[in-house]
Amino acid sequence: MADKDTHNRIFFHIDVNSAFLSWTSVDNLERGVGEDLRLVPSIIGGDIAKRHGIVLAKSMPAKKFLIQTGEPIVNAMRKCPSLLSAPPNHALYQEKSRQLFAYLSTICPDIEQLSIDECYMDYTPISHQYESPLEAANAIRISVYETFGFTVNIGISDKKVLAKMASDFKKPNLVHTLYQSEIQEKMWPLPVSALYMCGNSSTAVLHKLGIVTIGELAFADPDILVSHLKSHGRLLWEYANGYDDSLISTIPAAAKGIGNSITLTEDVITIDAAQQALLHLSESVAARLRADRHVATVVCVEIKYSTFQSVSHQANFPIATNTTEDIYTLACRLFHELWDLTPIRLLGIRATKLIAEDNIPPQQLSLFDTVLPRSNEKQRQLDGAIDSIRQRYGSSSITRGSLLHTKDSFHKH
């Protein structure tokens, strides 16, 4: 096990326990309204009166009724007729998240935010302040609760992916270790479905191959996994063996690029619905690029499944761009390469490796590219006209026909 005297880096993965429900409960207590939803069977979800929507978060008492995150509210109500529910409040969650990460940054500046409620922290720069990583993690866990009134789990490891796995062990308000030397004992006996990034579809494929536990996956032939799951199969094999050389990325999101994501009120299960969301996101990202007078050379698509596992894929543009059509076309291609047919909770698009419009270097065009500039220029003019109309008359003043009747289908972040 690594300690503060070793040169190996130690990572923490900090995850808010049932974030949406915890933050709603804390807000209720702060305002003196409602009750602490964490103490009773309760969920955060859609409209419980109409029995519409899905479970976004659940309390520990609700878990005893076998209520699952991502299941329809109507199913949860059958399991527990006395179930309480609160609608999601994304503005509140963004603020609670901002407060938490600002606080954690005062403890250690080397933080990589993964989502609204979880981050990695590099323990190595602050190791001299503590007797051990375990002492530090427990101090952070206790201070978060005393400061904000909600709990976190913290995973500790010499590899980021293993720290992530450790934080998902027994909850709430606990610290767990999962060093490489511990994976045989602590991780390999677990079902493959418990492995980070192993969604329902991947689990089904692995089961057909006779692979049931993470240990069996670790000893499987990676070439066979790739033949059935493409590059994702090798990634799962690497994670099962605890292979992960990535370090903390502390670059602020604004410096990385421009992006947007949407959480859908109902899980997306069709390509048409996904493409509607991708078009909406492409419009948003492209408009922000144009407003900042930047073009992008890379686009990344993120999918968060109903299982709350996330995957992403990126690719380069042939020519740096900020048009909706270019971003949407590449985003759709990436989506088709990435999606494993598991129901989708969240979609995101991020444009990265930005270049100021005034600093675009000369670019070599192929013979095929020489046919395109006129149509690209028309697309830029169309996007510019749409931007002008929206700036003058409001964002809802003009809408692509394919986006009509879709605005209530998701929440922006």
Side-chain angles (χ1 to χ4, degrees):
M1 183 179 299
D3 59 28
K4 67 179 184 179
D5 296 322
T6 185
H7 293 294
N8 294 328
R9 289 193 176 275
I10 299 298
F11 303 103
F12 293 169
H13 180 266
I14 304 172
D15 188 14
V16 180
N17 297 135
S18 194
F20 290 178
L21 189 133
S22 293
W23 289 335
T24 298
S25 297
V26 169
D27 184 60
N28 285 348
L29 295 175
E30 290 174 346
R31 295 186 295 114
V33 299
E35 57 184 301
D36 192 338
L37 297 175
R38 295 169 293 186
L39 303 179
V40 297
S42 63
I43 61 171
I44 301 296
D47 191 331
I48 202 166
K50 297 180 180 178
R51 295 174 174 248
H52 176 75
I54 59 174
V55 176
L56 298 177
K58 60 185 182 298
S59 66
M60 291 300 291
K63 189 175 181 179
K64 295 178 181 179
F65 289 87
L66 303 181
I67 292 172
Q68 302 293 320
T69 300
E71 74 173 308
I73 285 180
V74 63
N75 289 1
M77 286 293 296
R78 291 193 192 105
K79 296 176 181 178
C80 179
S82 62
L83 189 68
L84 297 182
S85 174
N89 183 343
H90 293 284
L92 170 68
Y93 305 152
Q94 291 285 352
E95 177 58 22
K96 292 293 185 184
S97 174
R98 184 197 64 77
Q99 293 174 2
L100 172 63
F101 292 124
Y103 174 74
L104 292 176
S105 295
T106 66
I107 298 174
C108 177
D110 292 352
I111 286 177
E112 177 183 346
Q113 185 175 345
L114 289 182
S115 67
I116 194 170
D117 63 348
E118 59 180 330
C119 71
Y120 288 114
M121 176 186 288
D122 192 342
Y123 165 74
T124 313
I126 60 172
S127 61
H128 64 282
Q129 301 176 29
Y130 301 94
E131 287 298 319
S132 68
L134 197 61
E135 181 195 49
N138 274 306
I140 293 170
R141 173 185 62 82
I142 293 169
S143 69
V144 167
Y145 179 72
E146 292 177 343
T147 303
F148 299 106
F150 55 82
T151 63
V152 297
N153 260 41
I154 301 180
I156 306 172
S157 182
D158 44 1
K159 299 294 182 181
K160 285 170 63 178
V161 67
L162 297 181
K164 165 72 174 172
M165 288 290 298
S167 70
D168 284 334
F169 289 165
K170 185 179 178 182
K171 301 178 179 182
N173 200 24
L174 294 171
V175 172
H176 301 281
T177 65
L178 183 59
Y179 294 96
Q180 275 194 306
S181 60
E182 298 177 312
I183 63 174
Q184 182 173 355
E185 173 191 356
K186 293 185 177 181
M187 188 174 78
W188 282 358
L190 299 175
V192 289
S193 59
L195 182 65
Y196 177 52
M197 297 290 283
C198 190
N200 292 339
S201 296
S202 296
T203 298
V205 171
L206 293 174
H207 283 177
K208 290 180 181 178
L209 295 173
I211 298 171
V212 177
T213 67
I214 296 178
E216 291 170 343
L217 175 60
F219 282 92
D221 184 337
D223 291 334
I224 293 177
L225 297 175
V226 169
S227 70
H228 287 84
L229 292 168
K230 300 180 182 178
S231 60
H232 192 62
R234 178 167 290 278
L235 177 69
L236 293 177
W237 178 82
E238 290 174 353
Y239 283 176
N241 282 284
Y243 300 152
D244 179 17
D245 293 329
S246 61
L247 300 175
I248 297 294
S249 175
T250 59
I251 302 174
K256 292 181 182 179
I258 290 176
N260 197 7
S261 64
I262 50 179
T263 299
L264 298 113
T265 56
E266 295 184 357
D267 289 349
V268 162
I269 58 175
T270 68
I271 289 178
D272 287 346
Q275 289 179 334
Q276 288 280 353
L278 290 172
L279 178 55
H280 180 92
L281 288 168
S282 299
E283 279 207 317
S284 172
V285 170
R288 289 171 59 189
L289 282 170
R290 293 190 294 271
D292 289 345
R293 300 188 65 80
H294 278 81
V295 293
T297 59
V298 175
V299 72
C300 177
V301 170
E302 177 194 7
I303 300 175
K304 178 177 282 189
Y305 293 119
S306 58
T307 60
F308 282 92
Q309 292 183 327
S310 298
V311 293
S312 61
H313 195 15
Q314 70 178 37
N316 294 316
F317 289 108
I319 298 175
T321 184
N322 58 13
T323 71
T324 298
E325 183 176 355
D326 288 342
I327 293 173
Y328 174 66
T329 300
L330 186 51
C332 284
R333 194 197 87 191
L334 292 171
F335 173 82
H336 284 287
E337 294 174 357
L338 194 61
W339 189 31
D340 68 0
L341 302 183
T342 299
I344 298 169
R345 174 68 47 77
L346 174 146
L347 279 171
I349 292 178
R350 175 165 291 277
T352 63
K353 294 189 178 180
L354 308 186
I355 303 172
E357 288 182 341
D358 295 338
N359 296 326
I360 300 176
Q363 302 189 54
Q364 182 78 32
L365 295 179
S366 69
L367 179 62
F368 177 69
D369 291 328
T370 61
V371 182
L372 300 179
R374 180 172 297 180
S375 60
N376 283 348
E377 181 58 32
K378 287 185 178 180
Q379 181 62 43
R380 284 191 287 270
Q381 291 175 358
L382 174 60
D383 287 341
I386 292 175
D387 292 343
S388 298
I389 294 172
R390 286 175 172 166
Q391 289 169 8
R392 184 172 181 179
Y393 299 106
S395 60
S396 61
S397 58
I398 184 169
T399 304
R400 292 176 187 265
S402 54
L403 287 181
L404 291 176
H405 311 302
T406 65
K407 292 183 179 180
D408 294 330
S409 299
F410 36 73
H411 301 287
K412 296 182 187 178
H413 294 310

